């Protein structure tokens, strides 16, 4: 039996030995990385799980491996940063090992942030080569580009199994090209790529400044395009912002359908969480979903990471998934994010913008009601989001004001925020906080 076969059988045993949540969220997503008859290296995408597995489940894994193979096989857990250390490991091997079958359209939540990308991807999957060519998906990290590409791949594999379809990152493409050149197999390389019906190239920005790879890709692109084969490309930038990529490439990208994926809003974030929770077969109070969706707005990968963290925390500590435990489980990451990004000068800047006054107005001595209020809101938010002492805040950010003045300002705003008649102030402060978090 090879590593994958052993692991598949071990998984069946593990699904009975472990609770559903642990099995679904921690164990079944593990990917076989390598196997040499005595050690099975498994890969987790979630760094938090590496420790969890090592401390709680490694003996169950070893036991299951013994039961299916009757050999002493040691399971070793790697996360992606372990892999990065091991240079000889090729990313495409990992990708080929894993079906990524959960990256499908059913699990993809369509929201206002990805509407066009989603519907275009679906029509490409239904009618490859005829709908939008190339489909060019672009957006920041962790927002769902790779997921959509795999959704296209999985959909076509299922509905159109005779189609030759290839997913690779532009790094894979580059490495393969370099290898082909080294081994004088340029023709085989070309042949391979030109037979493909659907080519999905992820993260095209890695071709920036790689002139000869761009040259080769340009010819591949044209060969496929002219014979109406489907090309799907993803990038972290729109075509016209890909500086360092040849103009003849970017102009071809722009001729198809560029579709952007932006950050999801609160409702979409909540819907994504609901979907994941449902897939795990769990139920959680809606306030748990709201809390996570409100606090984690950087990207969807982090949103998922936060949810997994909450689930494992509750599972491992034998606690119910409720708001209280969610706050504890996420305390560290939310607190860290706040500390890193939100500094006193930045708060002052955002408050000033919101009140349409200058930063100097806030830190200075003017006493008009509007400026005084903006100043006190700044004091309040600085104590809320930073670790600075009242003394430092007064000295460094408000022209040498005494700490009692800072303390008074903070208390006053805190009181107003509790007051049901102060809707307008509450809305102002929430709008400012929203801006602070969207940095
Ligand atoms: P990117 O390639 O843009 O960096 P990914 O496609 O890897 O991002 O997405 C990161 C994670 O977020 C994946 O686990 C993916 O399944 C999930 N995800 C992204 N967008 C959505 C969505 N709209 N609905 C559900 N899950 C999503
Ligand atoms: Mg990606």
């Amino acid at each position: 039996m090879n590593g994958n076969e052993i692991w598949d059988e071990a998984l069946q045993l593990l699904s009975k030995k472990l609770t559903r949540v642990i099995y679904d969220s921690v164990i079944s997503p593990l990917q076989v990385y390598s196997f040499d008859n005595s050690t099975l290296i498994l890969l987790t995408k979630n760094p938090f799980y590496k420790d969890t597995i090592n401390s709680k489940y490694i003996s169950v894994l070893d036991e299951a491996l013994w039961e299916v193979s009757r050999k002493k096989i040691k399971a070793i857990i790697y996360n992606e940063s372990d892999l990065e250390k091991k240079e000889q490991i090729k990313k495409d091997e990992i990708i080929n090992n894993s079906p990524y079958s959960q990256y499908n359209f059913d699990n993809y939540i369509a929201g206002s942030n990805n509407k066009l990308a989603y519907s275009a991807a679906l029509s490409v999957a239904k009618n490859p080569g005829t709908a939008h060519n190339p489909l060019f998906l672009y957006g920041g990290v962790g927002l769902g580009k790779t997921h959509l590409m795999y959704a296209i791949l999985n959909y076509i594999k299922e509905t159109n199994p005779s189609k030759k379809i290839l997913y690779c990152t532009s790094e894979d493409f580059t490495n393969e090209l370099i290898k082909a050149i080294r081994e004088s197999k340029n023709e085989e390389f070309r042949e391979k790529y030109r037979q493909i019906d659907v080519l999905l190239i992820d993260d095209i920005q890695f071709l920036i400044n790689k002139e000869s790879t761009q040259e080769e890709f340009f010819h591949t692109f044209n060969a496929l395009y002219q014979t109406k084969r489907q090309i799907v490309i993803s990038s972290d930038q729109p075509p016209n912002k890909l500086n360092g990529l040849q103009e003849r490439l970017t102009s071809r990208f722009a001729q198809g359908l560029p579709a952007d994926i932006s950050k999801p809003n609160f409702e979409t974030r909540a819907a994504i969480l609901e979907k994941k929770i449902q897939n795990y077969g769990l139920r959680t109070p809606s306030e748990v979903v709201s809390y996570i969706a409100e606090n984690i707005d950087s990207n969807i990968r982090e949103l998922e990471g936060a949810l997994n963290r909450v689930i494992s925390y509750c599972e491992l500590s034998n606690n119910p998934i409720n708001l209280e435990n969610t706050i504890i489980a996420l305390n560290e990451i939310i607190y860290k994010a706040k500390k890193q990004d939100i500094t006193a000068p930045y708060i002052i800047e955002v408050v000033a913008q919101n009140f349409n006054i200058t930063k100097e107005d806030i830190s200075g001595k003017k006493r008009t009601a509007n400026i005084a209020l903006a100043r006190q809101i700044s004091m309040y938010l600085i104590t809320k989001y930073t670790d600075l002492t009242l003394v430092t805040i007064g000295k460094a950010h408000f022209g040498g004001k005494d700490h009692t003045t800072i303390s008074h300002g903070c208390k006053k705003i805190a009181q107003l925020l509790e007051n049901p008649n102060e809707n307008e102030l509450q809305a102002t402060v929430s709008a400012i906080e929203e801006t602070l978090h969207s940095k």
Side-chain angles (χ1 to χ4, degrees):
M1 285 203 287
N2 68 28
N4 279 315
E5 287 163 356
I6 291 182
W7 180 238
D8 281 346
E9 286 198 21
L11 276 179
Q12 292 183 12
L13 288 179
L14 290 165
S15 69
K16 291 175 204 126
K17 288 174 190 264
L18 298 166
T19 61
R20 173 94 194 255
V21 176
I22 287 298
Y23 178 79
D24 285 349
S25 61
V26 183
I27 302 298
S28 80
L30 291 171
Q31 294 167 23
V32 173
Y33 169 65
S34 71
F35 175 59
D36 69 358
N37 283 313
S38 62
T39 36
L40 178 70
I41 299 186
L42 296 163
L43 192 61
T44 172
K45 292 204 150 183
N46 186 330
F48 178 65
Y49 289 164
K50 182 178 158 180
D51 294 341
T52 307
I53 299 170
N54 279 330
S55 60
K56 311 253 173 183
Y57 302 109
I58 205 79
S59 54
V60 190
L61 294 194
D62 288 346
E63 192 182 285
L65 290 171
W66 162 257
E67 283 176 42
V68 299
S69 69
R70 293 288 151 195
K71 275 192 295 202
K72 209 166 162 38
I73 298 174
K74 179 95 203 78
I76 294 183
I77 310 299
Y78 272 17
N79 61 29
E80 285 180 330
S81 66
D82 297 329
L83 278 192
E84 276 155 21
K85 287 178 211 137
K86 293 195 116 205
E87 280 173 54
Q88 72 270 36
I89 291 157
K90 283 221 243 84
K91 263 198 183 157
D92 49 358
E93 284 177 350
I94 303 161
I95 284 168
N96 291 337
N97 275 344
S98 68
Y100 277 97
S101 56
Q102 77 278 19
Y103 283 3
N104 55 38
F105 285 111
D106 287 344
N107 286 336
Y108 199 82
I109 301 290
S112 52
N113 62 314
N114 60 19
K115 236 190 209 132
L116 177 64
Y118 175 84
S119 60
L122 194 58
S123 70
V124 160
K126 289 184 173 158
N127 296 302
T130 55
H132 311 288
N133 215 5
L135 172 60
F136 188 95
L137 303 168
Y138 67 92
V141 8
L143 296 179
K145 302 181 294 294
T146 299
H147 185 136
L148 262 192
M149 297 187 107
Y150 270 103
I152 296 173
L153 178 135
N154 287 324
Y155 189 98
I156 298 177
K157 275 198 167 159
E158 214 174 292
T159 53
N160 228 332
S162 63
K163 286 245 184 281
K164 284 202 188 115
I165 170 161
L166 179 79
Y167 164 94
C168 68
T169 66
S170 68
E171 259 178 321
D172 299 336
F173 185 88
T174 307
N175 292 337
E176 207 182 319
L177 177 65
I178 293 171
K179 187 160 173 267
I181 294 171
R182 197 172 54 222
E183 296 170 0
S184 311
K185 290 192 174 151
N186 307 29
E187 267 317 306
E188 281 95 329
F189 177 87
R190 286 197 184 145
E191 212 23 51
K192 170 181 163 187
Y193 277 89
R194 285 167 204 192
Q195 282 174 10
I196 290 165
D197 296 309
V198 181
L199 177 62
L200 304 132
I201 298 258
D202 208 352
D203 291 323
I204 198 79
Q205 69 272 12
F206 285 115
L207 292 194
I208 282 176
N209 295 333
K210 296 194 178 111
E211 288 299 324
S212 44
T213 315
Q214 288 182 32
E215 176 81 27
E216 188 65 39
F217 182 67
F218 179 72
H219 295 300
T220 307
F221 182 98
N222 283 340
L224 295 177
Y225 183 79
Q226 278 155 13
T227 47
K228 293 216 167 9
R229 259 79 64 78
Q230 180 69 48
I231 303 158
V232 181
I233 296 166
S234 87
S235 160
D236 65 347
Q237 303 286 340
N240 62 353
K241 292 259 174 65
L242 279 167
N243 302 328
L245 217 58
Q246 297 170 3
E247 216 270 326
R248 57 181 185 170
L249 275 175
T250 55
S251 64
R252 272 170 177 70
F253 297 165
Q255 273 162 19
L257 181 71
D260 82 309
I261 304 184
S262 54
K263 283 189 180 182
N265 60 19
F266 172 79
E267 286 77 12
T268 308
R269 295 199 297 276
I272 290 170
L273 290 169
E274 301 275 9
K275 180 82 190 175
K276 308 257 169 216
I277 291 167
Q278 185 199 335
N279 283 349
Y280 286 147
L282 292 171
R283 290 178 67 89
T284 61
S286 64
E287 53 188 14
V288 165
V289 168
S290 303
Y291 182 81
I292 303 175
E294 262 163 26
N295 284 286
I296 310 287
D297 59 4
S298 45
N299 68 50
I300 300 169
R301 190 170 298 134
E302 307 228 325
L303 192 67
E304 276 181 3
L307 174 65
N308 288 339
R309 198 180 169 114
V310 169
I311 295 172
S312 346
Y313 171 81
C314 294
E315 181 73 14
L316 299 175
S317 59
N318 267 326
N319 278 309
I321 303 181
N322 58 22
L323 182 59
E324 195 189 345
N325 292 320
T326 301
I327 293 172
I328 298 173
L330 297 184
N331 181 33
E332 205 182 313
I333 44 180
I334 290 175
Y335 177 66
K336 247 198 215 152
K338 280 180 182 166
K339 251 175 70 171
Q340 273 170 10
D341 293 354
I342 303 179
T343 60
Y346 180 59
I347 292 172
I348 291 177
E349 187 185 319
V350 172
V351 175
Q353 267 168 17
N354 193 285
F355 277 79
N356 215 357
I357 56 180
T358 67
K359 290 184 274 186
E360 290 69 31
D361 287 338
I362 290 190
S363 43
K365 295 200 158 46
K366 286 188 196 158
R367 290 191 179 198
T368 58
N370 197 36
I371 292 177
L373 179 65
R375 188 176 294 140
Q376 289 180 324
I377 290 177
S378 306
M379 293 171 180
Y380 167 82
L381 292 173
I382 292 172
T383 50
K384 177 165 174 186
Y385 286 105
T386 73
D387 287 339
L388 302 175
T389 63
L390 296 175
V391 174
T392 308
I393 295 173
K395 270 200 189 135
H397 301 288
F398 294 95
K401 281 203 170 56
D402 191 75
H403 68 94
T404 52
T405 312
I406 309 296
S407 166
H408 170 76
C410 295
K411 279 196 194 129
K412 189 171 151 212
I413 299 299
Q415 275 166 6
L416 291 176
L417 290 175
E418 298 275 296
N419 183 340
N421 298 325
E422 293 289 341
N423 295 344
E424 201 184 322
L425 178 87
Q426 285 150 13
T428 305
V429 174
S430 330
I432 293 170
E433 293 193 79
E434 178 98 335
T435 313
L436 290 175
H437 288 299
S438 65
K439 187 183 182 183

